[in-house]
Amino acid sequence: MVNFYTSFQLWLSILLIYGYNVLVMAQWPSGGSTRYYDFKVQTTRIAKLCNSKDMVTINGMFPGPVVYAQEDDKIIVKVTNETPYNTTIHWHGVRQKLSCWFDGPSYITQCPIQAGQSFTYEFTMVKQKGTFFWHAHISWLRATVYGALVVYPKSGVPYPFKVPYEEHILILGEYWLEDVVQLEHATAASGGPPTPANAFTINGHPGPNYNCSNTDVYQIDVVSGKTYMLRLIHAGLNVESFFAIANHKLTIVEADAEYTKPFTTDRVMLGPGQTMIVLVTADQPLGKYSMAMGPYMSAKGVKFQNISSIAYFQYLGAVPNSFSLPAKLPSFNDNLAVMTVMDGLRSLSSPVNVPKKIDRELFVTIGLNVQKCHSKTPKKNCQGVNNGVMAASMNNISFVKPKISVLEAYYKGIDGYFTEDFPGAPLKFYDFVNGAPNIIPNNTEAILNGTRTLVLEYGTRVQLILQDTGTVTTENHPIHLHGYSFYVVAYGTGNYYPQNANFNLVDPPFMNTIGVPVGGWAAVRFVADNPGVWFMHCHLDIHQSWGLGTVFVVKNGKGELETLPHPPADLPQC
Ligand code: C2O
């Protein structure tokens, strides 16, 4: 326990220095409480990779503070913006039961918190526990504004696995030397793809593969023979990642804050927006082992960072400055490795309570597009494929964020900010995967821009097919739905045909972000029983910027327990 207490005390002192109201304890906190946190959005000077820059942080920390709670606790976070940038915070994976106003995506559920203003988020972890995270949900600020949200089971409720000796949080990220807000503007203006990150990071540290980073590396000291719980969180922007530890097996026991049947593997893949608990037993000879994060890039013709970020899994008693044993990551385009992990994800309990009857079948294509260049300075502004402008869409609608939040417009009945005509199926069916090769103008320009939403009656049992298209390039897209988790009942490669689909209605994983297979499809099911306005989008930020998203408007049901309450008084104004 020595280590646990040391690291715990370290945390506590860090937290106290930064002046929080912490209720963090070595033991699980007692239930039904309220957890208060104070988030100051600040500009902080950070040195990394032989450079330093001012970047946006919470309370000067990178990654930001960990929010701890227990199942059914209320969490209250006062966010005060001391930077010149607009901001919001999203609580990724929190279902926000009857609290849509506090979900956080800018222009979907709220206007940004402007410079000098504050907004207090308040929500309850209703029947939810596990590994979550929070991140800025506006422009690309989430590249630096993110942190873990750890929710323990209720007191006396054990984990469905042996209590680990220690737990550690590992947040995977991407780091740019440039200012990310400027970078986003420059990317948008160029019409082309984004600049790859200068480094991948684990808990903010690039590790020894990068310049000036030999000591900028995260390390876990382990005791031989003990089992460790690693809470993996993918907070990166634009690239999916493989993760592995040299010579050690990983046993997945939780994905997207829901328990899974234990599944043991050499490596895992997480897309941005996904979380996972893996258990690792220190059962190897004393030594220093690499924990590595490297890219999974399924798209064709995309530039990306290909140097892996390394952290250390260091046995106590091993020679301290020895070289670390390298971790074996799959090659960047190993689709099979991804499928193997996906096949291993099964809900812990079976049978699960997945809807068997479906009221509404939705079919949504996801993919990239190229729009014609209309600029007088094409060299500057049309750097997309074939000198066009990059875009992305669902069912060929490229989502445009409105000037006030969709939720406010909907709730107050203000006309003119969104429409209710997002199509429940593509306008035409064709060979989505192979029918639109990478050449213009084969169907890549025929997209419409708009703030189109799809309205669902309260309680609708939805089946949603997400179909990747080969327009521009096929790619694995991490599609995230706010306000819900969904059962991933089937997936496959190629085009979706019901007769070929193999549905798992017994123990499908319950997730909030699904990596739709490259050139393939995924079928998910959920019951629309949380009224509000819920964003569904690709969690690759560049795709979201290009319009890869849509919004579900879920109507109120009957009575107080099925009705979205009034907005909070301090809801920011646009
Ligand atoms: Cu973690 Cu809308 O995102």
Side-chain angles (χ1 to χ4, degrees):
M1 285 312 270
V2 171
N3 261 331
F4 184 68
Y5 278 109
T6 328
S7 62
F8 167 64
Q9 271 163 7
L10 187 71
W11 259 116
L12 193 67
S13 49
I14 292 171
L15 291 166
L16 289 174
I17 289 165
Y18 286 95
Y20 306 178
N21 190 345
V22 242
L23 294 158
V24 192
M25 272 156 241
Q27 294 301 312
W28 292 339
S30 58
S33 349
T34 302
R35 316 272 158 198
Y36 296 95
Y37 284 85
D38 208 0
F39 273 25
K40 301 261 192 286
V41 189
Q42 297 174 333
T43 314
T44 310
R45 191 127 198 114
I46 299 275
K48 239 165 238 310
L49 307 167
C50 331
N51 278 282
S52 69
K53 69 164 178 176
D54 285 325
M55 64 184 218
V56 181
T57 65
I58 300 297
N59 302 346
M61 297 168 74
F62 176 65
V66 184
V67 171
Y68 289 99
Q70 198 175 14
E71 183 174 349
D72 287 343
D73 277 353
K74 178 179 267 192
I75 296 176
I76 298 182
V77 186
K78 180 173 183 191
V79 178
T80 307
N81 187 0
E82 299 176 351
T83 74
Y85 306 102
N86 281 349
T87 195
T88 71
I89 303 286
H90 167 56
W91 316 91
H92 185 111
V94 177
R95 293 199 274 269
Q96 299 288 0
K97 191 78 186 176
L98 299 182
S99 53
C100 188
W101 297 107
F102 302 104
D103 188 35
S106 55
Y107 303 106
I108 308 297
T109 63
Q110 69 167 100
C111 296
I113 308 168
Q114 296 172 24
Q117 294 185 348
S118 65
F119 178 51
T120 301
Y121 291 87
E122 193 174 324
F123 52 89
T124 302
M125 300 303 305
V126 183
K127 296 199 182 114
Q128 285 196 273
K129 58 177 174 296
T131 310
F132 304 81
F133 72 121
W134 53 264
H135 61 78
H137 209 305
I138 186 161
S139 65
W140 289 6
L141 274 191
R142 83 161 211 250
T144 63
V145 179
Y146 61 78
L149 166 52
V150 174
V151 183
Y152 292 97
K154 290 189 195 177
S155 310
V157 177
Y159 290 127
F161 42 83
K162 202 175 129 235
V163 179
Y165 180 64
E166 268 180 21
E167 61 170 85
H168 291 268
I169 294 166
L170 294 178
I171 311 190
L172 314 181
E174 286 178 87
Y175 188 85
W176 279 266
L177 294 172
E178 283 171 77
D179 178 304
V180 284
V181 176
Q182 273 167 27
L183 193 68
E184 181 188 14
H185 291 155
T187 302
S190 78
T195 317
N198 296 96
F200 296 126
T201 56
I202 298 177
N203 288 348
H205 302 286
N209 289 349
Y210 294 97
N211 287 342
C212 306
S213 304
N214 267 331
T215 55
D216 194 357
V217 46
Y218 187 74
Q219 174 167 326
I220 298 177
D221 294 317
V222 303
V223 176
S224 180
K226 302 290 186 195
T227 296
Y228 292 81
M229 175 203 266
L230 307 182
R231 297 181 185 270
L232 301 176
I233 296 171
H234 200 312
L237 247 63
N238 294 333
V239 180
E240 301 178 302
S241 308
F242 288 112
F243 176 86
I245 306 182
N247 298 13
H248 289 75
K249 298 265 182 215
L250 313 173
T251 300
I252 303 171
V253 291
E254 186 197 279
D256 283 9
E258 294 289 335
Y259 293 135
T260 59
K261 294 196 170 77
F263 174 69
T264 301
T265 169
D266 289 324
R267 68 294 258 252
V268 295
M269 194 289 278
L270 286 89
Q274 293 183 311
T275 69
M276 200 177 261
I277 292 182
V278 295
L279 301 179
V280 185
T281 301
D283 57 3
Q284 294 298 307
L286 297 189
K288 184 189 240 176
Y289 297 85
S290 290
M291 301 193 278
M293 163 205 186
Y296 168 48
M297 177 51 73
S298 55
K300 300 254 155 43
V302 176
K303 282 205 198 103
F304 60 95
Q305 175 59 263
N306 202 7
I307 300 172
S308 47
S309 174
I310 301 285
Y312 296 135
F313 195 73
Q314 163 93 49
Y315 282 64
L316 289 168
V319 190
N321 289 322
S322 54
F323 281 107
S324 65
L325 278 106
K328 276 195 213 78
L329 290 170
S331 68
F332 72 88
N333 56 2
D334 191 342
N335 300 326
L336 199 66
V338 175
M339 270 300 185
T340 312
V341 177
M342 218 163 147
D343 290 343
L345 296 182
R346 302 295 174 108
S347 274
L348 176 64
S349 57
S350 41
V352 292
N353 189 19
V354 56
K356 305 283 176 339
K357 284 212 184 91
I358 296 300
D359 306 308
R360 192 80 196 266
E361 293 265 5
L362 302 174
F363 190 107
V364 172
T365 59
I366 52 184
L368 305 187
N369 306 81
V370 180
Q371 290 176 306
K372 258 207 195 81
C373 181
H374 296 295
S375 165
K376 293 206 183 70
T377 50
K379 283 234 163 62
K380 243 178 108 206
N381 307 112
C382 303
Q383 296 177 17
V385 174
N386 292 333
N387 307 316
V389 173
M390 298 309 296
S393 59
M394 286 186 163
N395 280 347
N396 261 10
I397 313 289
S398 191
F399 186 81
V400 179
K401 289 189 175 172
K403 295 276 178 284
I404 67 169
S405 86
V406 179
L407 180 58
E408 202 172 339
Y410 165 69
Y411 193 84
K412 298 182 177 161
I414 311 171
D415 280 346
Y417 289 98
F418 71 97
T419 57
E420 300 186 346
D421 54 351
F422 181 81
L427 294 182
K428 68 172 195 247
F429 279 78
Y430 62 100
D431 179 351
F432 294 112
V433 175
N434 310 296
N438 304 346
I439 42 162
I440 302 259
N442 205 335
N443 203 45
T444 91
E445 208 192 330
I447 50 167
L448 302 166
N449 297 328
T451 311
R452 298 204 191 188
T453 70
L454 190 138
V455 179
L456 294 168
E457 295 297 328
Y458 183 93
T460 306
R461 291 163 296 186
V462 178
Q463 173 163 290
L464 166 64
I465 309 293
L466 295 159
Q467 172 73 57
D468 186 28
T469 72
T471 319
V472 185
T473 173
T474 54
E475 181 168 9
N476 182 301
H477 293 274
I479 303 295
H480 173 50
L481 175 60
H482 286 233
Y484 294 90
S485 295
F486 43 62
Y487 287 103
V488 181
V489 290
Y491 50 86
T493 48
N495 294 298
Y496 169 74
Y497 298 109
Q499 60 273 26
N500 301 340
N502 217 337
F503 281 81
N504 172 10
L505 301 181
V506 178
D507 60 356
F510 198 39
M511 305 183 80
N512 62 59
T513 306
I514 172 67
V516 177
V518 49
W521 56 274
V524 304
R525 291 184 181 186
F526 64 98
V527 181
D529 58 1
N530 190 12
V533 163
W534 305 107
F535 202 12
M536 177 173 77
H537 62 89
C538 181
H539 217 282
L540 300 174
D541 237 55
I542 182 66
H543 293 175
Q544 195 204 139
S545 309
W546 286 342
L548 218 179
T550 189
V551 161
F552 292 116
V553 173
V554 177
K555 291 210 213 160
N556 286 331
K558 290 189 197 77
E560 219 181 309
L561 294 177
E562 299 180 358
T563 300
L564 180 69
H566 293 305
D570 59 344
L571 189 73
Q573 300 296 301
C574 280

